[in-house]
Amino acid sequence: MNVRSQKAVQATKWNFAILTYGNLAETKRCLRTLAETMNEPFSVFVVDNASTDGTQQWLCEQPMSWLHWQCNPTNRGVPGGRNDLLDFAVPQLRPDDWLVFCDNDLEFHRGWLQQYRNAMTQYPDARLLGQVGHCIEVCEDRRLLLPAPRSTGLVDVLSGGFACMVRVDTAKAIGPFDEQLGLFWHEDDDYCVRALQLGVQIVAVPTAGIVHHEHATGVAILGLREGGSRTNQAYLVRKWRELGFVDAGGWVRQRAGIYCEPAVRAELQRRSGSARPLGRFEFASAFALLEKLVIAADPVVCFAADREPLPPCFDAWLAWNLECARETGADALQERLRRVGAATSAQRFAKLLRPMIRVPDQRADGLVGHGLCASSDFDDPQWLAVADQLEPIHCARDPQARDRIFWEEVSLVLSLQRAGTVATTSAVVCVGDVRPRVVEWLRQRAASVVDFDPSSPPPRRSCDVVVCVRALAPEILGLLKHCSADGATFAFAGDVVLDGALSRRQPQPMQLEHELCARFELQPASPVRTAIDDGVLEACADGAANSDRRPQLCSYQNRLVTSFVLVGQSAVAAKKPTGAPVFIPSRPTAWTVGVDLRTVAYADSVSRG
């Protein structure tokens, strides 16, 4: 039988609904930091899901007038527990009050609520807000979670326990959480998707300043981590499709968010000249950026202040809006749209970065995934087939969700697969930052896969395949040459410098073939692509502050870099290493591979400012 506190509930605008299951110390911290950061009246409703660590006794002993609790005799899981919170709190609240769902491992920092208030001012019709939100696409039997926005904006779903606030009248309209989902996993996705069907605006507030300590209660229960999420996703995808919540392209239908019907998307795709369907995150990014720049007093200043990669469909979306404004005689809007076009054309990354590039002998031919990173690889069927092997439902099909690390992983596997040298008899050594998915792919095919230890390297000529990622120090390469067998396959991946600034560990494009291959006497598996496309330059993360920006196919801090993959087979037995530097000598004046040092000096001065 459920037991509830008997304190009278005072009507307050802010009401917190906290579900607990163990971890009493984190519950105490959550309530303490919440009380310390609230500067106006509030109430807290706690439902405990049969904790055995003293949580229920502690709750019963608390004298705070704002704290109300219910103790469940059994664990009803997250959907059931949140429904108990709704039943407990909603009847005692007014329609325009707010109920804030919180996990008990949240820690609140001062000013967090003001960020939500700012979001409500920016989006006055929003009725669901949370710190963590995403756009989603529905693919096969799963939902694809696209990257979280970096600033306040409209999304499809919110993380339900991460200070997810819903207005009381909206909570009544949405109804209870779906208890068919069991103990947990994706009840918040379903709640938000149902809200979208009612015309509810959902807003993410990523700058709110709340820390989630993620103790992951229950996640370690055997079988739930691996099976529960996929089972629940399959159930929800089937449910959403049957109810007509998802369109043929896998987008969640909505009346108040960033959405357009399939026919409109197809027309925008045609205008963009793209062979692939319009990405959900791509369109959301283009929509939000155009909206921000149109209302800006000075779009040039606004765009330059927080310059972001332009979605591939942006120019077509802008031109289409301008066309519609012209047809309707909206002169003021036409002028604003023209100013936006001028600002984005002059300030886009591809245009700003292209003059910095000092890459001689650019070559665009070669197979997909070999040589420099190219944005076109993400649309190649062969590349995508390998990507689907490594990560069955990935988001790289959406241009705004791409990153070069995933490109490296897929391209390494694709190039090794083409080479055909990883066999059941192969001895493979992995050096540097070889990602787990690549290691697992190798282990499924090779006789042995070991991590390289420079203090105890493999015996001489014992390795058939060497996979080396971001480990190009001369002493490491010398040891690798020593331990590689005759005809060994070498697979390199890492950073390549585009602006002419020389580095020992980050080669220039022409060095991949002219020096790295020559050093190991390698015959490249295919021509090494050294051309740089504008799609890579546009997908730039500039500066440390934007290191998590997506898309991210290149980055610019002290120098401009992107990724490379190079696979080749040695022609002769390894020779004794000379110990000489691989990429640059200790004195740049001794460099003899054909780089014009005046060009290097110019590029270096550009990179410094």
Side-chain angles (χ1 to χ4, degrees):
M1 179 178 178
N2 297 334
V3 179
R4 286 183 180 176
S5 58
Q6 300 302 310
K7 302 171 190 171
V9 176
Q10 300 296 320
T12 58
K13 181 176 181 178
W14 307 108
N15 305 274
F16 297 85
I18 301 176
L19 185 63
T20 61
Y21 177 68
N23 292 283
L24 175 57
E26 294 190 337
T27 299
K28 292 178 179 179
R29 177 182 58 206
C30 177
L31 293 174
R32 174 178 54 79
T33 58
L34 178 59
E36 290 172 350
T37 56
M38 288 297 295
N39 55 9
E40 56 185 286
F42 67 97
S43 296
V44 175
F45 298 86
V46 177
V47 165
D48 182 79
N49 256 342
S51 295
T52 58
D53 65 343
T55 294
Q56 295 193 354
Q57 180 181 352
W58 181 83
L59 288 170
C60 295
E61 295 170 350
Q62 299 312 300
M64 296 85 79
S65 61
W66 46 261
L67 179 61
H68 312 277
W69 48 263
Q70 172 179 307
C71 296
N72 290 346
T74 58
N75 183 358
R76 295 201 354 97
V78 175
R82 287 193 177 141
N83 284 338
D84 289 344
L85 284 164
L86 288 170
D87 293 342
F88 189 8
V90 167
Q92 307 182 70
L93 304 178
R94 299 164 298 195
D96 59 349
D97 290 338
W98 290 86
L99 188 64
V100 188
F101 288 103
C102 301
D103 285 345
N104 68 328
D105 56 351
L106 298 187
E107 181 178 353
F108 296 85
H109 289 247
R110 293 195 182 278
W112 73 269
L113 184 57
Q114 185 57 46
Q115 296 296 320
Y116 278 85
R117 288 185 180 279
N118 295 342
M120 291 174 181
T121 300
Q122 185 177 352
Y123 295 94
D125 295 328
R127 296 294 181 265
L128 260 170
L129 302 95
Q131 180 161 317
V132 176
H134 301 265
C135 290
I136 64 170
E137 282 190 25
V138 177
C139 308
E140 300 175 7
D141 61 347
R142 304 186 195 181
R143 67 97 174 92
L144 182 62
L145 204 64
L146 297 166
R150 302 172 69 249
S151 58
T152 297
L154 294 169
V155 292
D156 298 338
V157 299
L158 297 170
S159 177
F162 213 140
C164 176
M165 57 175 60
V166 55
R167 212 169 79 164
V168 170
D169 55 356
T170 300
K172 290 179 179 179
I174 298 171
F177 290 85
D178 188 343
E179 295 189 29
Q180 294 296 315
L181 292 165
L183 287 178
F184 47 74
W185 291 121
H186 309 301
E187 72 289 332
D188 41 11
D189 291 336
D190 182 61
Y191 194 78
C192 292
V193 167
R194 285 157 47 207
L196 290 172
Q197 309 316 301
L198 301 175
V200 173
Q201 276 194 343
I202 301 177
V203 174
V205 192
T207 58
I210 304 168
V211 176
H212 192 193
H213 290 281
E214 298 186 90
H215 61 66
T217 297
V219 173
I221 296 175
L222 186 61
L224 285 177
R225 174 177 284 278
E226 293 302 319
S229 175
R230 292 188 178 184
T231 300
N232 280 4
Q233 286 190 51
Y235 162 75
L236 287 178
V237 167
R238 185 169 59 252
K239 169 185 170 180
W240 295 341
R241 286 192 174 124
E242 289 174 354
L243 292 172
F245 294 173
V246 178
D247 67 27
W251 292 29
V252 177
R253 296 185 185 278
Q254 48 196 284
R255 287 182 282 153
I258 300 177
Y259 176 76
C260 59
E261 292 291 342
V264 179
R265 302 203 298 267
E267 174 61 15
L268 186 54
Q269 176 186 347
R270 185 192 68 79
R271 289 170 176 257
S272 301
S274 174
R276 52 166 179 73
L278 185 66
R280 174 73 183 99
F281 192 43
E282 176 188 2
F283 177 70
S285 300
F287 184 101
L289 178 60
L290 183 58
E291 184 180 63
K292 179 177 74 172
L293 295 179
V294 163
I295 64 174
D298 187 337
V300 173
V301 173
C302 179
F303 186 56
D306 187 24
R307 188 180 295 108
E308 53 191 279
L310 286 178
C313 72
F314 182 83
D315 289 337
W317 180 240
L318 172 63
W320 196 358
N321 277 269
L322 183 58
E323 180 182 309
C324 293
R326 190 180 301 116
E327 290 175 355
T328 57
D331 295 337
L333 179 57
Q334 287 184 63
E335 179 58 28
R336 285 183 173 274
L337 289 170
R338 290 192 190 95
R339 293 171 64 199
V340 169
T344 54
S345 176
Q347 296 289 325
R348 65 182 60 204
F349 278 120
K351 186 168 185 177
L352 295 176
L353 296 177
R354 178 62 69 176
M356 295 173 53
I357 294 174
R358 294 294 181 269
V359 178
D361 302 324
Q362 292 193 40
R363 183 169 62 199
D365 63 327
L367 296 179
V368 60
H370 198 243
L372 268 60
C373 177
S375 59
S376 59
D377 289 353
F378 291 87
D379 297 320
D380 182 86
Q382 189 179 26
W383 192 94
L384 284 170
V386 175
D388 290 339
Q389 286 181 38
L390 294 186
E391 187 176 325
I393 300 294
H394 57 83
C395 54
R397 285 178 171 84
D398 194 316
Q400 295 305 103
R402 294 168 175 171
D403 74 89
R404 62 194 183 100
I405 300 304
F406 188 58
W407 177 86
E408 288 177 20
E409 294 180 59
V410 175
S411 298
L412 267 174
V413 169
L414 176 59
S415 295
L416 284 168
Q417 193 169 273
R418 281 202 208 100
T421 54
V422 180
T424 54
T425 57
S426 299
V428 181
V429 60
C430 293
V431 191
D433 188 21
V434 184
R435 299 299 173 119
R437 280 184 290 226
V438 177
V439 174
E440 182 60 27
W441 183 86
L442 291 166
R443 283 178 175 155
Q444 291 174 3
R445 291 159 178 79
S448 66
V449 179
V450 298
D451 291 331
F452 179 78
D453 180 359
S455 65
S456 180
R460 179 177 173 83
R461 299 188 182 181
S462 63
C463 301
D464 303 302
V465 179
V466 177
V467 181
C468 180
V469 178
R470 288 183 176 79
L472 300 182
E475 59 274 16
I476 297 296
L477 296 181
L479 291 171
L480 292 179
K481 189 173 181 182
H482 178 82
C483 70
S484 61
D486 291 352
T489 295
F490 286 81
F492 295 99
D495 296 333
V496 61
V497 177
L498 304 180
D499 60 1
L502 297 175
S503 167
R504 288 180 181 275
R505 291 170 173 80
Q506 294 178 322
Q508 293 178 341
M510 54 86 182
Q511 291 176 264
L512 299 178
E513 189 167 9
H514 296 311
E515 186 171 347
L516 190 55
C517 284
R519 170 76 168 177
F520 287 87
E521 299 175 301
L522 298 182
Q523 179 62 43
S526 64
V528 182
R529 177 177 55 203
T530 58
I532 300 134
D533 69 34
D534 283 352
V536 168
L537 297 179
E538 189 58 47
C540 180
D542 63 323
N546 293 325
S547 60
D548 62 343
R549 170 177 278 161
R550 293 293 182 272
Q552 185 186 123
L553 300 183
C554 72
S555 61
Y556 177 68
Q557 284 182 254
N558 296 326
R559 55 177 53 96
L560 178 63
V561 301
T562 188
S563 292
F564 78 91
V565 165
L566 172 65
V567 174
Q569 192 168 11
S570 62
V572 295
K575 298 178 181 179
K576 183 177 179 181
T578 63
V582 176
F583 293 120
I584 59 171
S586 57
R587 297 182 180 179
T589 52
W591 188 250
T592 59
V593 294
V595 178
D596 186 339
L597 291 181
R598 292 170 297 176
T599 298
V600 173
Y602 170 76
D604 193 48
S605 68
V606 171
S607 70
R608 288 197 301 266

